[in-house]
Amino acid sequence: MKALDGVRILDFTHVQSGPTCTQLLAWFGADVIKVERPGVGDITRGQLQDIPKVDSLYFTMLNHNKRSITVDSKHPKGKEVIEALIQTCDVLVENFAPGALDRMGFTWERVHALNPRMIMASIKGFGPGPYEDCKVYENVAQCAGGSASTTGFDDGPPLVTGAQIGDSGTGLHLALGIVCALFQRNATGLGQKVSVAMQDGVLNLCRVKLRDQQRLAHGPLTEYPQYPHGTFGDAVPRAGNASGGGQPGWILKCKDWETDPNAYIYFICQAPVWEPICDVIGKPEWKTDPGYAKPAARLPKLKEIFDTIEHWTMTKDKFEAMDILNKYDIPCGPILSMKEIAEEQSLRDTGTVVEVDHPTRGKYLSVGNPIKMSASVSEVKRSPLLGEHTGEILRDVLRFDPARIAEIEASGAIGAPTRAAAE
Protein backbone atom coordinates (compact mmCIF):
# COMPACT_ATOMS: atom_id res chain seq x y z
CA MET A 1 0.00 0.00 0.00
CA LYS A 2 1.14 3.52 -0.83
CA ALA A 3 0.27 6.69 1.07
CA LEU A 4 -1.87 8.12 -1.76
CA ASP A 5 -3.42 4.92 -3.10
CA GLY A 6 -6.92 5.68 -4.35
CA VAL A 7 -6.21 9.34 -5.13
CA ARG A 8 -6.55 10.22 -8.80
CA ILE A 9 -4.85 13.30 -10.24
CA LEU A 10 -5.87 15.05 -13.47
CA ASP A 11 -2.53 16.44 -14.60
CA PHE A 12 -2.67 19.45 -16.93
CA THR A 13 0.91 20.44 -16.12
CA HIS A 14 3.86 20.93 -18.41
CA VAL A 15 7.57 21.84 -18.35
CA GLN A 16 8.89 21.67 -14.75
CA SER A 17 7.02 23.28 -11.85
CA GLY A 18 3.73 21.41 -12.27
CA PRO A 19 5.26 18.06 -13.30
CA THR A 20 7.51 18.17 -10.21
CA CYS A 21 4.37 18.37 -8.05
CA THR A 22 2.44 15.62 -9.80
CA GLN A 23 5.46 13.30 -10.02
CA LEU A 24 5.91 13.54 -6.25
CA LEU A 25 2.24 12.63 -5.75
CA ALA A 26 2.65 9.73 -8.18
CA TRP A 27 5.66 8.45 -6.23
CA PHE A 28 3.40 8.25 -3.19
CA GLY A 29 0.88 6.13 -5.07
CA ALA A 30 -1.54 8.59 -6.66
CA ASP A 31 -2.86 7.65 -10.11
CA VAL A 32 -1.66 10.60 -12.17
CA ILE A 33 -3.30 11.00 -15.58
CA LYS A 34 -1.29 13.41 -17.71
CA VAL A 35 -3.38 15.17 -20.36
CA GLU A 36 -1.39 16.03 -23.51
CA ARG A 37 -2.08 17.42 -26.96
CA PRO A 38 -2.37 14.73 -29.66
CA GLY A 39 0.80 14.43 -31.71
CA VAL A 40 2.65 17.05 -29.65
CA GLY A 41 2.50 16.38 -25.95
CA ASP A 42 4.40 18.19 -23.23
CA ILE A 43 6.85 20.56 -24.94
CA THR A 44 9.73 19.14 -22.92
CA ARG A 45 9.46 15.81 -24.74
CA GLY A 46 11.38 17.50 -27.55
CA GLN A 47 13.51 20.00 -25.61
CA LEU A 48 17.23 19.44 -24.92
CA GLN A 49 17.14 16.10 -26.69
CA ASP A 50 20.40 14.16 -26.37
CA ILE A 51 19.12 11.26 -28.48
CA PRO A 52 17.19 12.02 -31.69
CA LYS A 53 13.48 11.19 -31.89
CA VAL A 54 13.04 9.95 -28.31
CA ASP A 55 11.66 11.67 -25.23
CA SER A 56 14.26 13.95 -23.69
CA LEU A 57 15.67 13.50 -20.20
CA TYR A 58 14.01 16.82 -19.42
CA PHE A 59 10.66 15.09 -19.85
CA THR A 60 11.42 11.61 -18.56
CA MET A 61 12.94 12.83 -15.27
CA LEU A 62 9.84 14.89 -14.41
CA ASN A 63 7.08 12.48 -15.40
CA HIS A 64 7.76 9.13 -13.79
CA ASN A 65 4.91 6.93 -12.57
CA LYS A 66 2.28 8.72 -14.69
CA ARG A 67 -0.18 7.67 -17.37
CA SER A 68 -0.58 9.71 -20.57
CA ILE A 69 -3.80 10.43 -22.45
CA THR A 70 -3.95 12.60 -25.54
CA VAL A 71 -6.96 14.91 -25.80
CA ASP A 72 -7.72 17.92 -27.98
CA SER A 73 -9.27 20.30 -25.46
CA LYS A 74 -10.74 22.47 -28.25
CA HIS A 75 -12.67 19.59 -29.83
CA PRO A 76 -16.24 19.03 -28.55
CA LYS A 77 -15.56 15.33 -28.03
CA GLY A 78 -12.30 16.21 -26.32
CA LYS A 79 -14.17 18.47 -23.92
CA GLU A 80 -16.50 15.57 -23.15
CA VAL A 81 -13.51 13.43 -22.21
CA ILE A 82 -12.06 16.17 -20.00
CA GLU A 83 -15.39 16.73 -18.27
CA ALA A 84 -15.67 13.02 -17.59
CA LEU A 85 -12.14 13.01 -16.15
CA ILE A 86 -13.00 15.96 -13.89
CA GLN A 87 -15.99 14.04 -12.58
CA THR A 88 -13.79 11.02 -11.90
CA CYS A 89 -10.62 12.56 -10.43
CA ASP A 90 -9.86 14.03 -7.01
CA VAL A 91 -7.40 16.76 -7.94
CA LEU A 92 -6.80 18.90 -11.04
CA VAL A 93 -3.30 20.35 -11.25
CA GLU A 94 -2.30 23.01 -13.79
CA ASN A 95 0.48 25.50 -14.42
CA PHE A 96 -0.83 27.18 -17.57
CA ALA A 97 -0.30 30.85 -18.25
CA PRO A 98 -2.80 33.06 -16.37
CA GLY A 99 -6.34 32.64 -17.70
CA ALA A 100 -5.58 29.70 -20.01
CA LEU A 101 -7.77 27.16 -18.20
CA ASP A 102 -10.64 29.67 -18.06
CA ARG A 103 -10.38 30.18 -21.82
CA MET A 104 -10.65 26.40 -22.26
CA GLY A 105 -14.01 26.63 -20.49
CA PHE A 106 -12.87 25.09 -17.23
CA THR A 107 -13.21 27.88 -14.68
CA TRP A 108 -13.22 27.02 -10.99
CA GLU A 109 -17.00 27.47 -10.99
CA ARG A 110 -17.40 25.02 -13.88
CA VAL A 111 -15.04 22.47 -12.35
CA HIS A 112 -16.73 22.75 -8.95
CA ALA A 113 -20.15 22.26 -10.56
CA LEU A 114 -18.94 19.10 -12.32
CA ASN A 115 -17.31 17.71 -9.18
CA PRO A 116 -17.84 19.50 -5.84
CA ARG A 117 -15.12 17.32 -4.27
CA MET A 118 -12.51 18.35 -6.83
CA ILE A 119 -9.40 20.12 -5.56
CA MET A 120 -8.12 22.56 -8.17
CA ALA A 121 -4.40 23.25 -7.72
CA SER A 122 -2.52 25.90 -9.67
CA ILE A 123 0.96 27.32 -10.03
CA LYS A 124 1.31 30.86 -11.32
CA GLY A 125 4.26 33.21 -11.52
CA PHE A 126 2.88 35.93 -9.26
CA GLY A 127 0.00 36.23 -6.85
CA PRO A 128 -2.66 38.95 -7.05
CA GLY A 129 -1.08 42.32 -7.76
CA PRO A 130 0.50 44.34 -10.55
CA TYR A 131 2.34 41.38 -12.09
CA GLU A 132 -0.26 38.63 -11.79
CA ASP A 133 -0.81 38.36 -15.55
CA CYS A 134 2.90 38.00 -16.35
CA LYS A 135 4.40 34.77 -17.57
CA VAL A 136 7.21 33.49 -15.33
CA TYR A 137 9.98 30.94 -15.72
CA GLU A 138 12.58 29.62 -13.28
CA ASN A 139 15.10 32.43 -13.35
CA VAL A 140 12.43 35.13 -13.38
CA ALA A 141 11.00 33.63 -10.18
CA GLN A 142 14.43 33.58 -8.57
CA CYS A 143 14.91 37.24 -9.44
CA ALA A 144 11.46 38.32 -8.27
CA GLY A 145 11.53 36.23 -5.10
CA GLY A 146 14.69 37.69 -3.57
CA SER A 147 17.14 34.93 -4.42
CA ALA A 148 19.17 36.58 -7.18
CA SER A 149 19.66 39.90 -5.39
CA THR A 150 21.17 38.08 -2.40
CA THR A 151 23.23 35.52 -4.34
CA GLY A 152 26.74 36.18 -5.61
CA PHE A 153 29.59 38.37 -4.43
CA ASP A 154 29.29 41.97 -3.34
CA ASP A 155 31.41 43.28 -6.21
CA GLY A 156 29.54 41.28 -8.88
CA PRO A 157 26.09 41.10 -10.46
CA PRO A 158 23.11 39.21 -9.03
CA LEU A 159 23.26 35.48 -9.73
CA VAL A 160 20.68 32.73 -10.16
CA THR A 161 21.29 29.43 -8.40
CA GLY A 162 21.88 26.04 -9.99
CA ALA A 163 19.05 24.56 -7.92
CA GLN A 164 15.64 24.96 -9.52
CA ILE A 165 14.04 26.66 -6.56
CA GLY A 166 11.56 28.58 -8.72
CA ASP A 167 10.13 25.63 -10.64
CA SER A 168 10.79 22.49 -8.62
CA GLY A 169 10.64 24.39 -5.32
CA THR A 170 7.19 25.73 -6.12
CA GLY A 171 6.04 22.27 -7.23
CA LEU A 172 7.00 20.87 -3.84
CA HIS A 173 5.06 23.64 -2.10
CA LEU A 174 1.98 22.87 -4.19
CA ALA A 175 2.19 19.15 -3.41
CA LEU A 176 1.99 19.95 0.29
CA GLY A 177 -1.02 22.18 -0.30
CA ILE A 178 -2.77 19.42 -2.24
CA VAL A 179 -2.20 16.83 0.49
CA CYS A 180 -3.55 19.30 3.09
CA ALA A 181 -6.63 19.96 0.93
CA LEU A 182 -7.24 16.21 0.59
CA PHE A 183 -7.05 15.85 4.36
CA GLN A 184 -9.45 18.76 4.92
CA ARG A 185 -11.88 17.25 2.40
CA ASN A 186 -12.25 14.28 4.72
CA ALA A 187 -14.00 16.63 7.14
CA THR A 188 -15.84 18.97 4.76
CA GLY A 189 -16.63 16.69 1.84
CA LEU A 190 -15.75 19.53 -0.52
CA GLY A 191 -12.81 20.47 -2.67
CA GLN A 192 -11.13 23.85 -2.76
CA LYS A 193 -8.69 25.94 -4.75
CA VAL A 194 -5.00 25.62 -3.89
CA SER A 195 -2.51 28.00 -5.45
CA VAL A 196 1.18 28.77 -5.11
CA ALA A 197 2.89 31.69 -6.81
CA MET A 198 6.46 31.06 -7.87
CA GLN A 199 7.54 34.39 -6.40
CA ASP A 200 6.02 33.34 -3.06
CA GLY A 201 7.69 29.93 -3.15
CA VAL A 202 11.12 31.43 -3.78
CA LEU A 203 10.64 34.02 -1.04
CA ASN A 204 9.70 31.27 1.40
CA LEU A 205 13.05 29.63 0.67
CA CYS A 206 14.79 33.03 1.08
CA ARG A 207 13.22 33.86 4.42
CA VAL A 208 16.60 34.28 6.16
CA LYS A 209 17.31 37.18 3.83
CA LEU A 210 14.05 38.87 4.81
CA ARG A 211 15.16 38.30 8.38
CA ASP A 212 18.45 40.06 7.60
CA GLN A 213 16.65 42.93 5.84
CA GLN A 214 14.99 43.78 9.14
CA ARG A 215 18.19 43.30 11.15
CA LEU A 216 19.87 45.95 8.98
CA ALA A 217 17.84 48.65 10.71
CA HIS A 218 19.68 47.88 13.94
CA GLY A 219 23.25 47.84 12.66
CA PRO A 220 25.63 45.97 10.36
CA LEU A 221 25.26 42.25 9.70
CA THR A 222 28.37 41.11 11.51
CA GLU A 223 28.44 37.60 10.01
CA TYR A 224 28.54 39.01 6.45
CA PRO A 225 31.92 39.43 4.72
CA GLN A 226 31.26 43.18 4.37
CA TYR A 227 31.86 43.49 8.12
CA PRO A 228 33.85 45.31 9.43
CA HIS A 229 35.69 46.99 6.54
CA GLY A 230 32.94 47.14 3.92
CA THR A 231 29.74 49.12 3.77
CA PHE A 232 26.07 48.20 4.08
CA GLY A 233 23.34 49.93 2.10
CA ASP A 234 19.61 49.89 2.71
CA ALA A 235 19.10 46.37 1.29
CA VAL A 236 20.57 42.99 2.17
CA PRO A 237 23.86 42.65 0.25
CA ARG A 238 25.20 39.63 -1.58
CA ALA A 239 27.26 37.58 0.84
CA GLY A 240 29.33 35.30 -1.38
CA ASN A 241 29.67 31.90 0.26
CA ALA A 242 29.00 33.12 3.80
CA SER A 243 26.63 30.99 5.85
CA GLY A 244 22.99 32.03 6.00
CA GLY A 245 22.90 31.19 9.70
CA GLY A 246 24.75 32.50 12.70
CA GLN A 247 27.82 30.29 12.16
CA PRO A 248 30.56 31.73 9.91
CA GLY A 249 31.32 29.54 6.88
CA TRP A 250 33.18 29.72 3.58
CA ILE A 251 34.21 27.58 0.61
CA LEU A 252 37.92 26.75 0.74
CA LYS A 253 40.37 25.31 -1.76
CA CYS A 254 41.60 21.75 -1.37
CA LYS A 255 44.48 19.84 -2.89
CA ASP A 256 44.57 19.94 -6.72
CA TRP A 257 42.22 22.91 -6.91
CA GLU A 258 44.33 24.25 -9.77
CA THR A 259 43.14 21.46 -12.10
CA ASP A 260 39.91 20.25 -10.48
CA PRO A 261 37.10 22.85 -10.55
CA ASN A 262 35.36 21.09 -7.66
CA ALA A 263 38.34 20.53 -5.35
CA TYR A 264 36.78 22.61 -2.60
CA ILE A 265 35.17 22.09 0.80
CA TYR A 266 32.64 24.12 2.77
CA PHE A 267 33.99 24.82 6.24
CA ILE A 268 32.00 26.21 9.19
CA CYS A 269 33.70 27.80 12.18
CA GLN A 270 31.15 26.63 14.71
CA ALA A 271 31.81 28.10 18.14
CA PRO A 272 31.51 24.85 20.17
CA VAL A 273 34.30 23.21 18.12
CA TRP A 274 36.63 26.21 17.90
CA GLU A 275 39.32 24.55 20.00
CA PRO A 276 39.49 21.39 17.82
CA ILE A 277 39.62 23.66 14.75
CA CYS A 278 42.65 25.43 16.20
CA ASP A 279 44.38 22.11 16.91
CA VAL A 280 43.64 20.65 13.46
CA ILE A 281 44.96 23.65 11.53
CA GLY A 282 48.03 24.05 13.71
CA LYS A 283 47.02 27.20 15.55
CA PRO A 284 46.65 26.03 19.19
CA GLU A 285 47.55 29.50 20.46
CA TRP A 286 44.27 30.86 19.06
CA LYS A 287 42.38 28.90 21.72
CA THR A 288 43.47 31.29 24.44
CA ASP A 289 44.39 34.41 22.46
CA PRO A 290 41.82 37.11 23.40
CA GLY A 291 41.75 38.18 19.76
CA TYR A 292 40.46 34.76 18.64
CA ALA A 293 39.09 32.84 21.62
CA LYS A 294 35.53 34.21 21.53
CA PRO A 295 33.13 34.40 18.55
CA ALA A 296 32.68 38.16 18.81
CA ALA A 297 36.43 38.67 18.67
CA ARG A 298 36.72 36.45 15.61
CA LEU A 299 34.08 38.20 13.49
CA PRO A 300 36.29 41.09 12.30
CA LYS A 301 39.03 38.59 11.44
CA LEU A 302 37.05 36.01 9.49
CA LYS A 303 38.92 36.54 6.22
CA GLU A 304 42.26 36.03 7.95
CA ILE A 305 40.92 32.98 9.80
CA PHE A 306 39.55 31.33 6.68
CA ASP A 307 42.75 32.11 4.76
CA THR A 308 44.68 30.30 7.49
CA ILE A 309 42.30 27.34 7.45
CA GLU A 310 42.61 27.22 3.67
CA HIS A 311 46.39 26.79 3.94
CA TRP A 312 45.56 23.57 5.78
CA THR A 313 42.74 22.37 3.47
CA MET A 314 44.98 22.89 0.43
CA THR A 315 47.24 20.10 1.75
CA LYS A 316 44.35 17.59 1.72
CA ASP A 317 41.88 16.42 -0.88
CA LYS A 318 38.28 17.28 0.01
CA PHE A 319 37.38 13.78 1.19
CA GLU A 320 40.53 13.46 3.31
CA ALA A 321 39.80 16.84 4.89
CA MET A 322 36.21 15.83 5.57
CA ASP A 323 37.28 12.58 7.25
CA ILE A 324 39.67 14.45 9.56
CA LEU A 325 37.22 17.22 10.42
CA ASN A 326 34.31 14.87 11.07
CA LYS A 327 36.30 13.13 13.81
CA TYR A 328 36.04 16.38 15.76
CA ASP A 329 32.42 17.16 14.76
CA ILE A 330 33.60 20.16 12.76
CA PRO A 331 30.80 20.96 10.26
CA CYS A 332 32.02 20.66 6.68
CA GLY A 333 31.05 19.26 3.32
CA PRO A 334 32.83 18.50 0.05
CA ILE A 335 31.79 20.32 -3.11
CA LEU A 336 30.46 17.36 -5.08
CA SER A 337 30.23 17.44 -8.85
CA MET A 338 27.25 15.91 -10.62
CA LYS A 339 29.59 13.17 -11.84
CA GLU A 340 30.53 12.33 -8.26
CA ILE A 341 26.90 12.38 -7.16
CA ALA A 342 25.89 10.09 -10.04
CA GLU A 343 28.58 7.61 -9.01
CA GLU A 344 27.93 7.74 -5.25
CA GLN A 345 26.84 4.25 -4.20
CA SER A 346 25.11 5.34 -1.01
CA LEU A 347 22.68 7.46 -3.05
CA ARG A 348 21.88 4.43 -5.19
CA ASP A 349 21.33 2.33 -2.07
CA THR A 350 18.79 4.78 -0.65
CA GLY A 351 16.93 5.28 -3.93
CA THR A 352 17.91 8.94 -4.13
CA VAL A 353 19.60 8.22 -7.47
CA VAL A 354 17.91 5.50 -9.51
CA GLU A 355 18.46 3.81 -12.84
CA VAL A 356 15.36 3.69 -15.03
CA ASP A 357 14.84 1.64 -18.17
CA HIS A 358 12.90 3.33 -20.96
CA PRO A 359 11.57 1.49 -24.04
CA THR A 360 12.95 3.95 -26.60
CA ARG A 361 15.91 5.70 -24.96
CA GLY A 362 17.23 2.80 -22.85
CA LYS A 363 18.63 3.12 -19.33
CA TYR A 364 19.26 6.48 -17.69
CA LEU A 365 19.81 7.90 -14.21
CA SER A 366 17.22 9.98 -12.44
CA VAL A 367 16.54 11.46 -9.03
CA GLY A 368 14.26 9.31 -6.91
CA ASN A 369 11.88 10.39 -4.17
CA PRO A 370 13.79 12.49 -1.61
CA ILE A 371 11.10 11.81 1.00
CA LYS A 372 11.46 8.37 2.56
CA MET A 373 8.47 6.76 4.26
CA SER A 374 8.79 3.45 6.09
CA ALA A 375 5.29 2.25 5.18
CA SER A 376 5.04 3.82 1.71
CA VAL A 377 8.20 2.96 -0.15
CA SER A 378 8.47 4.69 -3.51
CA GLU A 379 9.20 2.82 -6.71
CA VAL A 380 10.32 4.93 -9.65
CA LYS A 381 8.65 3.80 -12.89
CA ARG A 382 9.42 5.13 -16.34
CA SER A 383 7.60 8.06 -17.87
CA PRO A 384 4.79 7.32 -20.34
CA LEU A 385 5.03 7.48 -24.09
CA LEU A 386 2.76 10.08 -25.66
CA GLY A 387 -0.84 8.89 -25.43
CA GLU A 388 0.28 5.45 -24.28
CA HIS A 389 -2.64 4.98 -21.90
CA THR A 390 -5.41 6.75 -23.81
CA GLY A 391 -7.35 3.58 -24.55
CA GLU A 392 -7.13 2.09 -21.09
CA ILE A 393 -8.14 5.38 -19.43
CA LEU A 394 -11.22 5.70 -21.63
CA ARG A 395 -12.09 2.08 -20.96
CA ASP A 396 -11.06 1.43 -17.37
CA VAL A 397 -11.23 4.85 -15.71
CA LEU A 398 -14.11 6.53 -17.53
CA ARG A 399 -15.93 3.25 -18.24
CA PHE A 400 -16.79 4.27 -21.79
CA ASP A 401 -18.24 1.44 -23.83
CA PRO A 402 -16.58 0.33 -27.08
CA ALA A 403 -19.07 2.21 -29.25
CA ARG A 404 -18.43 5.50 -27.48
CA ILE A 405 -14.66 4.99 -27.61
CA ALA A 406 -14.88 4.26 -31.33
CA GLU A 407 -16.91 7.43 -31.83
CA ILE A 408 -14.34 9.53 -29.97
CA GLU A 409 -11.47 7.96 -31.89
CA ALA A 410 -13.19 8.59 -35.21
CA SER A 411 -13.76 12.24 -34.31
CA GLY A 412 -10.03 12.92 -34.05
CA ALA A 413 -10.41 14.31 -30.54
CA ILE A 414 -7.76 12.04 -29.05
CA GLY A 415 -5.41 11.38 -31.96
CA ALA A 416 -3.84 7.97 -32.45
CA PRO A 417 -2.76 6.39 -29.13
CA THR A 418 0.86 5.32 -29.00
CA ARG A 419 1.45 1.75 -27.99
CA ALA A 420 4.23 0.95 -25.57
CA ALA A 421 7.28 -0.78 -27.04
CA ALA A 422 7.98 -4.30 -25.88
CA GLU A 423 9.59 -4.22 -22.45
Side-chain angles (χ1 to χ4, degrees):
M1 180 180 178
K2 298 289 194 298
L4 295 179
D5 276 352
V7 174
R8 183 165 286 150
I9 311 291
L10 183 55
D11 184 359
F12 276 102
T13 70
H14 60 292
V15 191
Q16 184 177 169
S17 62
T20 296
C21 169
T22 52
Q23 177 173 255
L24 188 62
L25 299 174
W27 280 338
F28 285 125
D31 178 16
V32 176
I33 298 174
K34 186 177 179 73
V35 178
E36 301 186 78
R37 289 173 55 196
V40 179
D42 189 320
I43 191 173
T44 60
R45 286 184 183 271
Q47 287 184 335
L48 305 178
Q49 283 183 321
D50 56 317
I51 302 174
K53 299 181 180 179
V54 301
D55 288 338
S56 71
L57 289 170
Y58 196 3
F59 176 83
T60 62
M61 293 176 69
L62 288 164
N63 290 280
H64 294 119
N65 296 55
K66 303 178 184 181
R67 296 197 279 179
S68 171
I69 180 174
T70 50
V71 182
D72 182 353
S73 62
K74 297 180 180 179
H75 194 289
K77 291 294 181 183
K79 287 187 181 295
E80 287 182 18
V81 172
I82 292 173
E83 288 182 354
L85 285 168
I86 290 172
Q87 292 170 322
T88 305
C89 293
D90 298 285
V91 185
L92 186 156
V93 188
E94 61 92 14
N95 64 323
F96 291 124
L101 203 61
D102 291 355
R103 291 190 293 273
M104 290 167 57
F106 297 106
T107 62
W108 161 245
E109 292 74 19
R110 176 60 177 154
V111 169
H112 191 62
L114 289 168
N115 182 355
R117 290 175 56 82
M118 171 68 81
I119 293 160
M120 190 168 175
S122 302
I123 289 175
K124 295 292 177 277
F126 294 96
Y131 306 117
E132 63 183 304
D133 293 329
C134 297
K135 186 181 291 187
V136 173
Y137 289 94
E138 168 67 44
N139 290 347
V140 176
Q142 288 193 31
C143 293
S147 176
S149 68
T150 56
T151 301
F153 290 87
D154 196 35
D155 58 353
L159 294 177
V160 296
T161 70
Q164 303 289 281
I165 62 174
D167 277 327
S168 288
T170 305
L172 297 175
H173 282 90
L174 187 65
L176 175 59
I178 289 169
V179 171
C180 290
L182 285 168
F183 187 81
Q184 188 173 8
R185 193 180 70 175
N186 291 335
T188 66
L190 295 173
Q192 62 182 294
K193 291 192 291 183
V194 180
S195 62
V196 181
M198 294 171 71
Q199 181 186 40
D200 298 0
V202 171
L203 178 57
N204 185 46
L205 299 176
C206 293
R207 65 177 61 203
V208 297
K209 299 302 182 180
L210 185 58
R211 172 204 67 191
D212 293 347
Q213 179 64 42
Q214 297 167 87
R215 291 173 57 217
L216 265 178
H218 304 284
L221 306 175
T222 56
E223 78 279 16
Y224 276 57
Q226 288 82 357
Y227 178 81
H229 305 297
T231 58
F232 289 87
D234 61 359
V236 175
R238 291 183 275 285
N241 290 315
S243 170
Q247 305 294 337
W250 205 253
I251 290 179
L252 305 177
K253 298 170 183 173
C254 291
K255 187 178 180 180
D256 297 328
W257 66 272
E258 301 94 338
T259 56
D260 181 353
N262 295 298
Y264 292 84
I265 192 168
Y266 199 90
F267 192 110
I268 296 178
C269 284
Q270 188 182 32
V273 290
W274 174 245
E275 291 192 3
I277 289 173
C278 294
D279 290 332
V280 167
I281 66 173
K283 285 288 185 178
E285 66 273 17
W286 280 1
K287 293 188 290 185
T288 55
D289 186 329
Y292 297 90
K294 300 296 182 182
R298 292 194 291 272
L299 283 174
K301 305 180 182 72
L302 285 179
K303 185 179 186 307
E304 173 201 342
I305 290 170
F306 281 121
D307 285 346
T308 302
I309 296 172
E310 189 172 59
H311 284 304
W312 177 82
T313 59
M314 287 171 64
T315 67
K316 310 285 189 287
D317 70 43
K318 59 190 177 185
F319 298 109
E320 182 183 4
M322 186 178 180
D323 288 342
I324 294 170
L325 297 171
N326 280 338
K327 292 176 183 177
Y328 300 96
D329 291 327
I330 299 170
C332 64
I335 308 306
L336 295 179
S337 69
M338 276 297 154
K339 181 176 184 295
E340 289 168 324
I341 290 171
E343 295 171 352
E344 174 55 53
Q345 186 58 45
S346 66
L347 297 178
R348 304 286 187 98
D349 295 341
T350 60
T352 299
V353 175
V354 296
E355 185 176 77
V356 182
D357 199 3
H358 189 275
T360 60
R361 69 170 298 117
K363 294 181 179 179
Y364 65 93
L365 292 183
S366 189
V367 179
N369 193 343
I371 303 170
K372 319 297 184 187
M373 294 179 65
S374 61
S376 183
V377 179
S378 297
E379 177 187 0
V380 177
K381 301 177 182 178
R382 69 166 177 84
S383 59
L385 301 176
L386 179 60
E388 180 178 345
H389 305 96
T390 300
E392 72 178 51
I393 291 168
L394 295 176
R395 181 184 67 248
D396 301 334
V397 175
L398 300 183
R399 305 292 182 183
F400 288 176
D401 59 39
R404 187 173 183 185
I405 293 174
E407 181 183 3
I408 294 170
E409 288 178 339
S411 74
I414 57 174
T418 303
R419 298 186 180 279
E423 299 183 33

